């Protein structure tokens, strides 16, 4: 249960102001069809985070003891610093020819590759050595952060204290890093 709750909270916080959240706004404005966009986000996140969770569980089983603790601790601290800087999203040419679901699925999957939430999923799966609760938790965190953006759109996005949220995410990642380093 701890792996699920920590994964949900960490990724939910880290996702706020992330490029995929900005992508949610762009897609919502472009297609104005929230359901296919939400399902596209869900499917892309499950695929991406399952791969990341598998990688984290695999590499977590290879490295044991102090090596793993140092790698994970420093990774979480690195993501903490990364979380302090806002992401930018440049809308591409993907458009209406694929429809809202397929466009969202492809765009989200590609945008998540190497993203801080994917790196966090790898680290969390390695740290907790629990694939399913971590992937479900990180997926839920992504959905909690992105679905309201799709549903509410630009109205609420301008009112969110993004800087404070980025700082809270950085603190959460830093705390995970320090806790991992001290065992």
């Amino acid at each position: 249960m701890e792996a699920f709750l920590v994964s949900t909270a960490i990724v939910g916080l880290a996702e706020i102001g992330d490029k995929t959240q900005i992508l949610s706004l762009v897609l919502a404005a472009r297609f104005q069809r929230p359901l296919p966009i939400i399902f596209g986000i869900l499917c892309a996140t499950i695929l991406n985070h399952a791969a990341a969770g598998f990688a984290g569980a695999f590499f977590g089983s290879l490295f044991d003891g102090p090596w793993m603790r140092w790698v994970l601790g420093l990774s979480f601290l690195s993501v903490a610093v990364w979380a302090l800087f806002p992401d930018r999203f440049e809308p591409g040419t993907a458009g209406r020819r694929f429809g809202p679901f397929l466009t969202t699925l492809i765009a989200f999957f590609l945008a998540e590759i190497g993203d801080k939430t994917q790196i966090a999923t790898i680290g969390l799966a390695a740290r907790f050595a629990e694939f399913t609760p971590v992937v479900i938790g990180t997926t839920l965190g992504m959905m909690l952060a992105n679905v309201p953006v799709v549903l509410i759109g630009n109205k609420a996005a301008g009112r969110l204290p993004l800087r404070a949220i980025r700082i809270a995410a950085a603190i959460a990642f830093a705390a995970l890093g320090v806790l991992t380093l001290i065992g």
Side-chain angles (χ1 to χ4, degrees), residues 84-135:
L84 291 172
F85 298 96
D87 282 334
R88 303 265 191 280
F89 174 74
E90 300 295 330
T93 58
R96 297 186 186 274
R97 73 176 176 199
F98 294 120
F101 174 78
L102 194 55
T103 300
T104 302
L105 177 74
I106 294 167
F108 254 78
F109 184 82
L110 294 175
E112 269 297 292
I113 294 173
D115 193 60
K116 65 181 161 258
T117 52
Q118 185 189 44
I119 304 300
T121 302
I122 293 169
L124 290 163
R127 179 172 187 324
F128 289 109
E130 295 185 50
F131 172 83
T132 303
V134 167
V135 172

Side-chain angles (χ1 to χ4, degrees), residues 7-153:
S7 297
T8 302
I10 290 292
V11 169
L13 274 174
E15 182 61 14
I16 296 176
D18 191 74
K19 68 179 171 266
T20 47
Q21 194 175 51
I22 298 166
L23 177 59
S24 296
L25 281 171
V26 170
L27 292 167
R30 177 177 289 170
F31 291 107
Q32 298 179 354
R33 294 187 50 211
L35 238 50
I37 294 169
I38 291 168
F39 285 118
I41 293 169
L42 177 63
C43 292
T45 302
I46 289 170
L47 291 170
N48 193 289
H49 287 205
F54 177 74
F58 176 75
F59 289 113
S61 68
L62 289 181
F63 303 107
D64 200 13
W67 284 105
M68 183 55 139
R69 190 177 75 224
W70 280 99
V71 168
L72 286 175
L74 294 174
S75 295
F76 284 129
L77 291 172
S78 299
V79 175
V81 172
W82 187 3
L84 291 172
F85 298 96
D87 282 334
R88 303 265 191 280
F89 174 74
E90 300 295 330
T93 58
R96 297 186 186 274
R97 73 176 176 199
F98 294 120
F101 174 78
L102 194 55
T103 300
T104 302
L105 177 74
I106 294 167
F108 254 78
F109 184 82
L110 294 175
E112 269 297 292
I113 294 173
D115 193 60
K116 65 181 161 258
T117 52
Q118 185 189 44
I119 304 300
T121 302
I122 293 169
L124 290 163
R127 179 172 187 324
F128 289 109
E130 295 185 50
F131 172 83
T132 303
V134 167
V135 172
I136 292 172
T138 59
T139 300
L140 179 60
M142 286 285 288
M143 298 309 290
L144 288 172
N146 286 301
V147 169
V149 171
V150 172
L151 295 176
I152 298 168

